[in-house]
Amino acid sequence: MENSRKAFTDFVDKAVAAASLLNRDELMFSYKGILYPVTICSPEAFKALESFEARSDDVILAAYPKSGTNWLSQILNDLIAISQKKTLTKESSGDAEKPQEFPYLEVGDPEKYERMMKLPSPRFMVTHLRPENLPTSIFKNKVKILLLVRNPKDVATSFFHFCNGIATLPSYETWDDFFTDFMSKKAAWGCYFEYLSEWNKYIDKENIMTITYEELKENPALGVKNIAAFFGITLTEEELQLVVERSSFQSMKKNSEKTHGSFGNVFFRKGGVRDWKNIFSEDQNEKMDKVFEEQVAGTKLGKKLKYDVYCKA
Ligand code: PPS
């Protein structure tokens, strides 16, 4: 396990080192109209991903960047470990959580998908991609997908701090500059409102479960219970408490150097709700409210986000 954890942190360290040699305008490339970081993604890997053969027992977590992907990854990895009768300790050590391949489906070299064919089931994968850019085998084979969404104001706030904390993404001198880019489809992995609209088309499928960052924050035990039930994993009360404890923000932040190397603090920043209040101007609130209203509010996924509760109150 020591090796696999090292593989994860080595990957991030290598990408950051490569990014530090590039100018700001060289950090991203466009693929099918969406921007991605050059140091971790490539058009060749995207091409190879198209023919990736998903298995019906794969476990997929789909989330736009900064929605709590690492949090849910911890929970899902623990649930998989429990389903395989592995023993978990009270503290998250990062040991069981990191597979040999970097878990982000679209991140890595084009040969990665060949190597993944040899991985035992169940394979755990994470993706920030929109559904139309995922390999068709995922939907054909009815792979179970946990779709995680977070309120757009906190996503933007978290994204801004992340861009300034890690060299693989273009940094911003001001929040205002970032906000302009975020609202004009220039953020990595594309426009969050489009992401929500596209995923909304899929949320009634039986193989997709949606969860919000905010509902998990309000009641982690219920969230974990529902996720386990969706994936058909039985949990004792004790195991449930253990998963909740190991995935608490405090526990994950404390272990972040072990699990995420020197960028642990960047991945685990505040872990709260409504941090956007510290940064959004009145004008920016109005702008985002309008776009949300026009593009997402009327959809099922939009309603699930409880925008009035988390983005207006
Ligand atoms: S990434 O880089 O896109 O994969 O980032 P991602 O993990 O999706 O999102 C990072 C934000 O999630 C917060 N986080 C958590 N919140 C609550 N509980 C736990 N355990 C947890 N772990 C990570 C993390 O702090 C980032 O949010 P902000 O608002 O920046 O703190």
Side-chain angles (χ1 to χ4, degrees), residues 55-73:
R55 296 180 197 150
S56 55
D57 59 0
D58 284 338
V59 172
I60 298 185
L61 169 64
Y64 186 80
K66 313 324 294 175
S67 303
T69 325
N70 285 278
W71 183 16
L72 271 293
S73 296

Side-chain angles (χ1 to χ4, degrees), residues 185-204:
K185 310 181 186 185
K186 290 192 194 126
W189 276 275
C191 169
Y192 186 40
F193 306 102
E194 288 178 0
Y195 178 95
L196 292 170
S197 303
E198 287 304 319
W199 270 109
N200 183 66
K201 297 175 186 164
Y202 291 74
I203 60 165
D204 285 331

Side-chain angles (χ1 to χ4, degrees), residues 143-206:
V143 181
K144 283 192 179 165
I145 301 174
L146 178 64
L147 172 65
L148 165 69
V149 289
R150 186 182 191 185
N151 83 70
K153 290 188 181 172
D154 278 335
V155 165
T157 306
S158 178
F159 216 156
F160 166 63
H161 292 293
F162 191 66
C163 287
N164 284 346
I166 198 148
T168 50
L169 295 171
S171 60
Y172 287 86
E173 276 190 18
T174 68
W175 154 250
D176 291 354
D177 290 345
F178 176 82
F179 181 81
T180 305
D181 275 5
F182 186 82
M183 297 304 285
S184 50
K185 310 181 186 185
K186 290 192 194 126
W189 276 275
C191 169
Y192 186 40
F193 306 102
E194 288 178 0
Y195 178 95
L196 292 170
S197 303
E198 287 304 319
W199 270 109
N200 183 66
K201 297 175 186 164
Y202 291 74
I203 60 165
D204 285 331
K205 291 189 186 294
E206 58 180 327

